[in-house]
Amino acid sequence: MKALILGGTTEATALARLLRDHPRIDATVSLAGRTKQPVLPPLPTRIGGFGGVDGLAAHIVENGVGAVVDATHPFADQISANAAAACARVGVPLLVLTRKPWEPGEGDRWIGVPDMAAAAEALRLLGETVFLTIGRQEVAAFEAVPDKRYLIRAVDPPEPAPNLPDYHLILDRGPFTLEGECALLEEHRVEVMVSKNSGGSATEAKLEAARRRGVPVVMVERPKGNGVAEVHDAAGALAWLDKC
């Protein structure tokens, strides 16, 4: 059986490792191509978009794909919506492989917001030095609140560069250690953090660091799902594929 993995996450790579020598499943991974130097999985990989629902549906049919696993980032809502629509159209089963969302614990100071615009507005009454740990694609939302000092961490630089009078860019890729995150918050005197509720362990240390230092976290909640069944680990996705 041919399977298509919509990837770009550590969960997708973990599933690719499990499928590398699978005797029955011939899997391909698709990456959106938004990261300039992606970590390639150990399976045949295509890079680039499909051209919306029509393009993805055509790809599934033309390549004889028998099952699709959406293992994209929890905030990649457009490709997830496209996958749900395309698979429903052509009658191919779809599974979402996603990380469990983070939950606030004792000592956390989380401020939940629905989107980046709301996150920017929430900063108006908070600290002056803001740590943006949201990737590079939505930094422009914070141009609405330019009178802060911004520390921006991303894998690649934002394009175009943000129109912010006072910002410092850190190019880095997780996983991050608790020791390193605590040192970063202290060095830059971070007073508030902005994060997406991405879940997973690769960047979770920043939340523990914020908790220890009493730093409030503006937490952008995940987009709503598309009614597709979910699993939270690669083993669960493999078991599902084995039944297809």
Side-chain angles (χ1 to χ4, degrees):
M1 183 192 70
K2 291 188 176 181
L4 175 63
I5 302 170
L6 305 177
T9 60
T10 55
E11 291 75 22
T13 300
L15 178 57
R17 291 194 187 102
L18 294 179
L19 290 169
R20 179 167 44 193
D21 299 313
H22 198 284
R24 189 178 69 85
I25 300 172
D26 179 15
T28 299
V29 177
S30 177
L31 303 178
R34 292 178 178 174
T35 302
K36 292 182 179 179
Q37 294 182 321
V39 177
L40 296 178
L43 285 177
T45 303
R46 68 177 298 280
I47 297 178
F50 292 97
V53 175
D54 293 342
L56 179 53
H59 178 90
I60 291 170
V61 173
E62 291 168 5
N63 290 275
V65 174
V68 178
V69 177
D70 174 8
T72 58
H73 192 276
F75 281 78
D77 52 338
Q78 187 59 64
I79 183 59
S80 293
N82 289 351
C87 288
R89 180 184 299 179
V90 300
V92 168
L94 170 66
L95 179 75
V96 171
L97 169 57
T98 189
R99 313 159 190 168
K100 289 183 179 180
W102 293 314
E103 298 288 344
E106 185 177 354
D108 282 323
R109 299 171 60 194
W110 286 15
I111 301 163
V113 294
D115 53 38
M116 285 301 162
E121 286 301 313
L123 294 180
R124 295 189 187 278
L125 301 178
L126 296 171
E128 296 305 308
T129 303
V130 181
F131 184 22
L132 296 183
T133 64
I134 59 170
R136 68 187 180 98
Q137 296 184 46
E138 297 176 275
V139 172
F142 296 88
E143 294 173 3
V145 188
D147 56 339
K148 303 281 184 179
R149 295 186 300 272
Y150 287 97
L151 177 65
I152 303 169
R153 183 168 67 193
V155 175
D156 296 315
E159 295 179 353
N163 184 19
L164 294 169
D166 188 358
Y167 77 90
H168 177 71
L169 180 63
I170 297 176
L171 298 181
D172 203 356
R173 187 196 303 265
F176 302 105
T177 66
L178 176 57
E179 181 182 9
E181 296 293 67
C182 287
L184 185 69
L185 298 190
E186 181 176 3
E187 176 187 354
H188 293 276
R189 299 181 181 179
V190 170
E191 296 174 342
V192 58
M193 180 186 298
V194 181
S195 173
K196 296 177 177 179
N197 195 340
S198 302
S201 60
T203 61
E204 189 174 18
K206 66 186 178 185
L207 302 178
E208 175 63 24
R211 180 185 304 122
R212 292 189 180 192
R213 294 187 59 83
V215 172
V217 178
V218 178
M219 185 66 75
V220 182
E221 299 302 335
R222 293 185 181 188
K224 293 183 179 179
N226 299 288
V228 179
E230 295 184 359
V231 295
H232 296 298
D233 57 53
L238 178 61
W240 179 83
L241 284 169
D242 276 327
K243 296 177 182 178
C244 289

